[in-house]
């Protein structure tokens, strides 16, 4: 009862703070001086609909209305100038209003409304001001005639060959200055991609001849020659000098110096790199035309090796002769050889608390070829508050993984380096896992694999694991085994207590993974297929190996698993405005055991709940389907307690998330504070009816009845290099109940922060386990 009271106090404290803050937020004009007025509204009339959203940004920032929440944080923390938190009140300033009026006129003129006029008006009511801008656009000027004037014939030929791709404007289009500027940049980049190292933007100009009475504009596109020259020169690449300083950016001591392939001069003050680690990703070779695209590609790929602190663009020096050649130079600073990163997550739900700790040790450039060795240690613990002080761990999960990552494809075959869209990787991995649940089981698993990752394009990523060997062994507590067999729950004994191995392959495909941390509108997709045991099955049949007592074939004296598992993660990110986004995610998966297996390996099963899944439930506490633990175990409280967090799994998973993200405070103690509202829905199900999991099988006709729904809100503290997250989630629909009782928050919401008949009856029926409506999740990174 003590833990329950403490948890309630947390919830009431948070709720009280929110209510107090909302009450204080009712006033947005407190703290203003006698002659000050707060800008609270902007109205812009007479503007074409397509420009209404963009044109507001041309009102000076200091005259744009405050976000009311940011304003409240300013009043709370910064009004005396002690801290820069929130937004200072936007005080009416007539000079800035006039400046905004002029900017709006310029905006309209750049869109072809050359005669546009804008008048401003200020409406004041009390301490609040509304800025009104009335625009008269006038006629839309269009391009009547468009012609070219290009002095250099070679440049003219190059331009004409690419004109269809470059031209942003044509005769009849509105006279849009921004389109002309975009076209100008396209021409500049074209020249820079085709050897014109000395070409400058100033060589591209547009002349306009305006006939005001006809609302028409004649445009001449001009590409002029350099001063005192009759053409633009094309340059080729000569030698490249690569200089690697020590990790402090200094050239100290004697450097390792060598010449490679008669074109690279390699100078290494760190004494830690082989030349090939870098030359493989330098895309401008001796004799090639200068190409700014290859220059940027070189910079990007060297950065992606993840062994250098910064990789600036190459610098160029013209050779002393008149051959139009460029010597290039790349100066880079390596990251420190070794690094260590610790991450963590804390969760608590009524009497149950838990934490995850992850430690990643990194050794960069292990064999002087930009290889990365990573040792990852992870420890997850879930405590049971109802247990005695000396025996409070419900379960724990320890993982140790050793990964050796090569920045290339390692193969017995000679393969080209597919580095145009990203650095390919070969990862040799060994992972050990020890899972322990008090009074039930300890499971050990050992996994070894080789994985190839490469990019087909900037948006399309592939990952292939041709070899994945897994060995797992479970040891069941003798008392628990006796209880399980006594109740004919042989499937649990078989699931968690068997020793088994498998060998298989995995493949995954990702679309738009490079956009996940951008504020754009896009669709993300990840699909994975995992197949195991098929080769082993073929070998066992060819060798006619013996079968075990259950009729399953063995190889090398051990039973092997055979299965296919597929999973997909589909997300729609839609940007709604500055610091606002709507994200929908659908995560589905299915695992099918067959031939030599009647069940999936325990580690291959799906489970529901958790901080990145359906957040109102703890991990492994949801489903399968409408499975109800009180009904399934009845009065057998001992077995019920032993199987806790292990009996709620499935071979099918369907989960959806809808999250609205928005900005709160631009500067919150040095970080950016964002908020979110979300709903999560879905569950896991058994593939077919099982006596151990009553009402847990997937049935499409009962899909809605067996679907869980959670709602909640959260805060995200964006520190640029990582995001710290706090989510508060509430159970809205709980599928373990039936009928209207499933809508727990609607029907029993009065017991959200107090004990009542519903919680009391649940606790009696569930052998003392309390029911919690709310789940708090602390973590690092966004949930998806």
């Amino acid at each position: 009862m003590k833990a329950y009271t403490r948890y309630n106090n947390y919830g009431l404290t948070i709720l009280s703070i929110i209510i107090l803050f909302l009450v204080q937020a009712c006033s947005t004009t407190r703290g203003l001086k006698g002659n000050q007025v707060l800008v609270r509204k902007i109205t812009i009339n007479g503007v074409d609909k397509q420009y209404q959203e963009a044109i507001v940004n041309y009102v000076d920032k200091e005259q744009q209305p405050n976000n009311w929440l940011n304003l409240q944080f300013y009043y709370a923390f910064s009004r005396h100038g002690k801290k820069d938190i929130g937004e200072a009140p936007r005080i009416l300033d007539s000079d800035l209003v006039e400046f905004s009026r002029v900017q709006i006129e310029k905006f309209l003129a750049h869109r072809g409304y050359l005669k546009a006029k804008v008048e401003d008006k200020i409406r004041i009511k009390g301490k609040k001001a509304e800025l009104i801008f009335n625009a008269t656009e006038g006629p839309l000027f269009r391009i009547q005639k468009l012609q070219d004037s290009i002095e250099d014939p070679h440049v003219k030929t190059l331009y004409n060959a690419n004109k269809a791709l470059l031209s942003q404007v044509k005769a009849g289009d509105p006279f849009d200055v921004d389109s002309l500027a975009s076209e100008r940049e396209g021409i500049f980049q074209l020249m820079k991609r085709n050897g014109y190292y000395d070409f400058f933007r100033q060589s591209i100009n547009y002349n306009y001849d305006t006939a005001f009475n006809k609302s028409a504009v004649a445009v001449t596109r001009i590409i002029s020659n350099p001063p005192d020259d009759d053409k633009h020169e094309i340059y080729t690449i000569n030698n490249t000098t690569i200089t690697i300083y020590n990790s402090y950016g200094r050239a100290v001591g004697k450097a390792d110096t060598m010449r490679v392939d008669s074109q690279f001069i390699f100078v290494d003050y760190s004494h830690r790199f082989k030349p090939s680690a870098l030359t493989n990703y330098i895309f401008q070779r001796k004799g090639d035309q200068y190409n700014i695209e290859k220059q940027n590609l070189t910079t990007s790929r060297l950065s992606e090796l993840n062994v250098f602190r910064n990789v600036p663009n190459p610098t160029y020096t013209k050779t002393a002769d008149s051959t139009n050649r460029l010597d290039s130079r790349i100066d880079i600073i390596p990251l420190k050889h070794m690094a260590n990163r610790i991450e963590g997550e804390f969760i608590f739900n009524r009497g149950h608390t838990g934490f995850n700790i992850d430690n990643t040790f990194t050794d960069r450039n292990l064999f002087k070829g930009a290889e990365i060795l990573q040792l990852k240690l992870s420890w997850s613990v879930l405590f049971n508050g109802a247990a005695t002080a000396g025996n409070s761990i419900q379960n724990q999960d320890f993982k140790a993984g050793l990964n050796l990552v090569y920045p290339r494809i390692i193969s017995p075959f000679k393969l080209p380096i597919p580095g145009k869209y990203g650095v390919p990787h070969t990862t040799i991995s060994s992972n050990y896992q020890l899972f322990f649940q008090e009074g039930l089981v300890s499971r050990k698993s050992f996994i070894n694999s080789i994985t190839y990752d490469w990019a087909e394009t900037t948006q399309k990523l592939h990952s292939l694991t041709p070899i994945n060997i897994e060995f797992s062994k479970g040891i069941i507590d003798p008392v628990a085994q006796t209880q399980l067999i006594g109740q004919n729950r042989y499937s649990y004994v078989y699931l968690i207590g068997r020793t088994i191995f498998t060998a298989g392959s995995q493949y995954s495909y990702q679309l738009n993974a490079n956009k996940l941390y951008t504020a754009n509108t896009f669709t993300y997709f990840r699909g994975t297929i995992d197949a195991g045991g098929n080769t082993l099955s073929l070998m066992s049949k060819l060798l006619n190996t013996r079968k075990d007592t259950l009729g399953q074939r063995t190889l090398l004296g051990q039973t092997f698993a055979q299965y296919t598992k597929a999973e997909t993660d589909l997300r729609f990110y839609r940007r709604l405005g500055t610091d606002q986004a709507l994200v929908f995610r659908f995560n589905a998966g299915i695992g099918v055991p067959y031939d030599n297996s009647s069940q999936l390996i325990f580690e291959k099963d799906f489970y529901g709940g958790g901080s990145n899944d359906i957040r109102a439930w703890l991990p492994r506490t949801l489903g399968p389907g409408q499975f109800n633990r009180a009904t399934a175990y009845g009065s057998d409280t001992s077995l019920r307690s032993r199987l806790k967090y292990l009996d709620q799994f499935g071979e099918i998973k369907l989960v959806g998330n809808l999250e609205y993200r928005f900005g709160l405070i631009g500067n919150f103690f040095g970080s950016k504070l964002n908020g979110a509202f979300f709903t999560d829905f879905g569950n896991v199900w058994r593939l077919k009816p099982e006596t151990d999991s009553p009402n847990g099988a997937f049935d499409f006709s009962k899909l809605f009845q067996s679907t869980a729904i959670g709602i909640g809100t959260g805060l995200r503290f964006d520190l640029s290099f990582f995001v710290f997250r706090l989510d508060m989630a509430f159970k809205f629909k709980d599928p373990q109940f039936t009928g209207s009782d499933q809508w727990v928050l609607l029907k029993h919401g009065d017991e959200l922060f107090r004990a009542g008949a519903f919680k009391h009856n649940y606790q009696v029926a569930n052998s003392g386990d309390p029911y919690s409506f709310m789940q708090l999740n602390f973590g690092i990174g966004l949930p998806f």
Side-chain angles (χ1 to χ4, degrees), residues 123-157:
R123 182 180 296 163
I124 299 176
K125 185 176 181 180
K127 284 286 188 178
K128 299 179 181 179
E130 177 185 3
L131 307 185
I132 303 173
F133 297 94
N134 294 313
T136 303
E137 291 181 333
L140 176 61
F141 282 70
R142 295 183 178 275
I143 298 175
Q144 185 181 54
K145 184 180 180 181
L146 182 63
Q147 59 186 6
D148 299 323
S149 175
I150 304 175
E151 298 177 350
D152 188 329
H154 295 289
V155 172
K156 186 175 183 178
T157 300

Side-chain angles (χ1 to χ4, degrees), residues 154-413:
H154 295 289
V155 172
K156 186 175 183 178
T157 300
L158 177 64
Y159 172 75
N160 287 334
N162 294 271
K163 188 173 183 178
L165 300 175
L166 292 173
S167 294
Q168 299 290 321
V169 293
K170 60 182 182 295
D173 286 349
F175 178 67
D176 188 334
V177 173
D178 286 351
S179 294
L180 293 175
S182 177
E183 181 183 271
R184 183 181 189 227
E185 182 62 23
I187 296 172
F188 172 76
Q189 293 296 330
L190 173 68
M191 303 297 290
K192 288 289 189 176
R193 290 195 303 269
N194 286 274
Y196 292 97
Y197 168 73
D198 260 347
F199 190 88
F200 296 99
R201 289 180 178 86
Q202 291 83 346
S203 297
I204 309 169
N205 292 285
Y206 293 88
N207 281 349
Y208 318 123
D209 186 5
T210 306
F212 266 77
N213 58 333
K214 295 182 180 180
S215 302
V217 182
V219 178
T220 301
R221 184 188 294 113
I222 301 171
I223 303 179
S224 57
N225 285 334
D228 304 322
D229 205 337
D230 59 354
K231 64 177 181 178
H232 291 275
E233 300 290 350
I234 294 178
Y235 287 82
T236 57
I237 301 299
N238 189 38
N239 295 321
T240 299
T241 301
I242 307 166
T243 303
I244 303 175
Y245 298 95
N246 63 24
S247 57
Y248 297 100
R250 300 169 184 167
V252 179
K254 185 178 180 181
D256 295 334
T257 304
M258 65 183 73
R259 193 175 186 91
V260 183
D261 295 337
S262 74
Q263 60 178 317
F264 298 111
I265 302 171
F266 186 78
V267 182
D268 183 11
Y269 287 95
S270 72
H271 309 289
R272 287 170 39 200
F273 290 88
K274 296 177 182 177
S276 60
L278 284 78
T279 57
N280 283 339
Y281 295 105
I282 295 177
F283 292 89
Q284 292 196 117
R285 300 284 172 156
K286 192 170 186 175
D288 290 350
Q289 281 188 357
Y290 166 79
N291 187 331
I292 193 172
E293 192 173 82
K294 290 184 177 181
Q295 168 191 295
N296 295 334
L297 191 60
T298 296
T299 302
S300 296
R301 297 300 167 262
L302 292 179
S303 298
E304 287 175 23
L305 291 175
N306 200 28
V307 293
F308 299 113
R309 186 188 305 171
N310 65 331
V311 182
N313 283 325
T315 58
Y316 299 92
T317 305
K318 299 175 184 177
T319 56
D321 53 28
S322 57
T323 56
N324 291 342
R325 292 182 299 165
L326 299 171
D327 286 328
S328 64
R329 181 181 180 91
I330 303 173
D331 295 334
I332 45 183
I333 301 173
L335 290 166
K336 290 187 177 180
H337 192 192
M338 299 182 183
N340 199 68
R341 185 180 75 248
I342 299 176
E343 296 178 341
E345 182 178 76
F346 177 73
I347 56 175
F348 62 90
N349 186 305
R350 297 288 293 270
H352 304 293
T353 59
F355 64 82
N356 303 323
I357 296 178
D358 298 299
N359 187 90
T360 302
F361 168 79
T362 302
D363 185 331
R364 297 184 179 89
N365 198 38
L366 182 65
F367 302 125
K368 296 188 175 183
E371 304 87 0
I372 294 179
L373 179 70
Q374 284 190 332
L375 174 61
K376 296 184 177 181
L377 302 176
S378 175
W379 184 34
S380 301
V381 176
L382 185 66
F383 297 96
N384 186 350
T388 59
N391 192 27
S392 61
I393 294 180
Q394 180 73 37
N395 61 49
Q396 55 183 318
D397 192 359
F398 173 77
K399 298 176 183 176
L402 189 65
N403 298 324
L404 179 59
V405 183
Y406 291 87
R408 54 193 175 275
I409 299 295
I410 297 178
S411 167
F413 310 103

